């Protein structure tokens, strides 16, 4: 029988069991790495760094994990925090200038048929702060309350940043289309 | 319902194979993961080789396990709240691991460990208190230590000078271990 996350975490915390860690790693890292890749705009080296930091931090804090969320959700939260720290460490601005872009409507999602490569390219060009909110909401499906908790902001701020992020994204897509024709 | 192309980007991605080993190394360096028992590997992979070697050399080299009698030194690593602001934790750990590996290759490394900044403080048997050195302002908590072997103090100082901890704004102290 496949051991549950809780059993594996117990073995890791109590006995620092390498096999338990390997099972947890194999089970959760693809999701963490996918999220990290999107949050850093497709930069593989940075995504590796984020996931490594996230596992270190998770292993340090697993003994205090209260199982109020699934392990997978908690690990994704750790990935988000590590991504933010990496952005700060690299001197990239996370504070968004709320006046630099007009607000789009909150429901103004990108719609229709859009090439995946164009999307990824545009995402990579977004400032880190915009990209984090956009990825968490529009790609990963987090609510504004959850994003507020993850990023340490009010849900209202998450909403307004998302609207601006979508506007920025749309502009980048349009620029990409113009350059490509 | 309108199709949302961004949602299609969601999902897992195949992590690079070397990442797992890097994470395991980093966790072991912090004492968060037990080392695989080398005896298990020897038992399966190297048993035949060992038996052969034992059979060949046991006659005239019995009990000849070399004992390193060089003096040992403790390199104690300290850092205040400003320590490690440059770069990321994982990059720093990789740098320290590479340094420790280079010492190990030269036979100079005995031990290297990172320490938590919280613990328990004892004064006699009665007074026990929780300490959080990381939060005490103006202090340089002990962050980790290396124990190395060197032929003399000068060589030990040279080793300590090459420690990446100094490049990250940390302080270190080197003291010789008194054989008892």
């Amino acid at each position: 029988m496949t051991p549950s996350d809780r059993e594996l975490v117990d073995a890791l915390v109590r006995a620092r069991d390498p096999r338990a860690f390997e099972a947890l790693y194999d089970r959760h890292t693809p999701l963490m790495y996918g999220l990290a890749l999107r949050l850093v705009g497709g930069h593989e080296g940075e995504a590796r760094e984020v996931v490594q930091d996230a596992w270190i931090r998770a292993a340090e804090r697993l003994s205090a994990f209260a199982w109020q969320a699934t392990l997978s959700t908690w690990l994704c939260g750790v990935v988000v925090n590590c991504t933010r720290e990496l952005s700060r460490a690299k001197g990239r601005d996370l504070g968004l200038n709320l006046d630099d872009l007009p607000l789009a409507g909150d429901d103004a999602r990108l719609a229709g048929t859009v090439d995946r490569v164009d999307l990824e390219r545009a995402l990579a060009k977004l400032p880190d702060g915009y990209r984090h909110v956009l990825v968490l909401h529009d790609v990963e499906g987090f609510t504004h309350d959850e994003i507020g908790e993850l990023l340490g902001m009010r849900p209202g701020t998450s909403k307004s940043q998302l609207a601006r992020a979508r506007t920025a994204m749309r502009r980048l897509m349009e620029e990409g289309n113009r350059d490509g024709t | 319902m309108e199709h949302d192309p961004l949602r299609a980007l969601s999902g897992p991605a195949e992590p690079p194979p070397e990442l797992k080993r890097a994470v395991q190394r980093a966790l072991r360096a912090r004492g968060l993961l037990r080392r695989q028992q080398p005896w298990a590997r020897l038992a399966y992979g190297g048993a035949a080789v060992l038996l052969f070697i034992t059979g060949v050399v046991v006659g005239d080299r019995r009990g000849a396990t070399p004992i390193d009698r060089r003096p040992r030194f403790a390199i104690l690593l300290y850092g205040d709240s400003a320590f490690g602001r440059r770069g990321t934790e994982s990059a720093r750990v990789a740098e320290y691991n590479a340094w420790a590996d280079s010492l190990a290759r030269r036979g100079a490394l005995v031990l290297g460990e990172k320490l938590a900044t919280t613990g328990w403080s004892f004064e006699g048997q009665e007074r026990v208190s929780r300490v959080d050195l990381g939060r005490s302002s103006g202090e340089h908590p002990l962050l980790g230590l290396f124990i190395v072997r060197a032929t003399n103090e000068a060589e030990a100082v040279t080793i300590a000078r090459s420690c990446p901890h100094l490049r990250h704004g940390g302080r270190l102290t080197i003291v010789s271990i008194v054989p008892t």
Side-chain angles (χ1 to χ4, degrees):
Chain A
M1 205 175 87
T2 313
S4 67
D5 279 347
R6 199 182 274 253
E7 288 167 330
L8 292 169
V9 166
D10 280 350
L12 180 59
V13 170
R14 277 190 294 104
R16 302 179 299 143
D17 183 343
R19 282 171 305 175
F21 172 73
E22 192 159 2
L24 286 169
Y25 179 96
D26 290 343
R27 192 177 290 175
H28 295 288
T29 304
L31 207 61
M32 294 163 73
Y33 186 66
L35 173 61
L37 260 182
R38 289 183 286 279
L39 287 171
V40 300
H43 191 291
E44 289 178 8
E46 290 191 1
R48 277 200 299 270
E49 211 170 313
V50 164
V51 171
Q52 180 166 338
D53 282 345
W55 269 118
I56 291 168
R57 185 158 312 168
E60 285 170 343
R61 296 179 186 179
L62 267 175
S63 58
F65 180 49
W67 297 96
Q68 283 169 345
T70 63
L71 181 65
S72 163
T73 304
W74 181 71
L75 288 170
C76 286
V78 180
V79 166
V80 172
N81 284 322
C82 289
T83 307
R84 305 274 290 175
E85 282 169 25
L86 180 73
S87 292
R88 281 193 205 100
K90 293 195 179 275
R92 296 196 295 247
D93 192 14
L94 283 172
L96 302 179
N97 180 355
L98 295 181
D99 301 323
D100 67 352
L101 279 170
L103 275 169
D106 188 42
D107 58 350
R109 289 170 180 269
L110 289 165
T113 310
V114 185
D115 187 82
R116 185 187 176 106
V117 176
D118 292 342
L119 269 180
E120 288 175 340
R121 198 175 292 149
L123 260 182
K125 285 183 187 167
L126 276 181
D128 286 7
Y130 282 153
R131 187 170 55 248
H132 296 168
V133 175
L134 189 80
V135 165
L136 289 174
H137 190 276
D138 283 2
V139 181
E140 307 298 336
F142 285 90
T143 65
H144 288 296
D145 285 341
E146 290 166 334
I147 294 170
E149 208 163 298
L150 280 170
L151 304 186
M153 58 174 66
R154 288 196 302 272
T157 311
S158 168
K159 275 184 196 170
S160 57
Q161 291 198 353
L162 174 67
R164 289 183 167 89
R166 285 173 173 168
T167 303
M169 185 74 178
R170 199 167 284 108
R171 281 187 185 173
L172 286 165
M173 298 286 289
E174 284 165 7
E175 282 168 20
N177 286 341
R178 270 202 306 274
D179 295 345
T181 53
Chain B
M1 192 174 141
E2 197 169 33
H3 168 67
D4 183 354
L6 277 169
R7 219 16 102 73
L9 300 180
S10 179
E14 184 68 31
E18 73 275 10
L19 180 58
K20 188 197 278 189
R21 291 193 62 181
V23 173
Q24 288 168 326
R25 251 198 325 269
L27 294 182
R28 279 198 298 269
R30 288 168 169 73
L32 295 165
L33 198 61
R34 221 175 48 224
R35 286 176 198 285
Q36 297 273 17
Q37 289 299 326
W39 302 112
R41 284 198 297 273
L42 284 174
Y44 294 110
V49 178
L50 278 175
L51 282 170
F52 172 73
I53 293 170
T54 309
V56 170
V57 301
V58 77
D60 54 5
R61 287 182 62 88
R62 207 176 311 165
T65 309
I67 297 171
D68 193 336
R69 297 192 185 278
R70 287 177 298 168
R72 290 175 302 157
F73 297 85
I75 301 175
L76 307 173
L77 312 182
Y78 302 89
D80 60 8
S81 55
F83 167 74
R85 285 210 176 135
R86 271 184 307 132
T88 60
E89 170 89 1
S90 58
R92 207 161 47 245
V93 168
E95 207 178 329
Y96 283 46
N97 280 342
W99 184 71
D101 284 348
S102 73
L103 292 181
R105 279 195 296 275
R106 289 157 44 194
L109 182 70
V110 178
L111 172 81
E113 298 291 353
K114 177 183 165 79
L115 300 177
T117 53
T118 55
W120 295 95
S121 174
F122 290 76
E123 278 180 58
Q125 286 188 312
E126 301 301 322
R127 297 189 58 191
V128 179
S129 54
R130 185 86 173 143
V131 286
D132 186 346
L133 295 171
R135 286 189 183 169
S136 312
S137 58
E139 290 196 23
H140 289 256
L142 181 63
L143 302 177
L145 79 160
F146 286 98
I147 294 180
V148 299
R149 282 192 187 277
T151 47
N152 51 39
E153 196 173 71
E155 188 190 348
V157 167
T158 306
I159 289 174
R161 252 196 206 117
S162 68
C163 179
H165 192 65
L166 297 173
R167 286 198 294 277
H168 289 282
R171 292 182 180 183
L172 62 79
T173 303
I174 180 160
V175 286
S176 60
I177 293 175
V178 180
T180 52

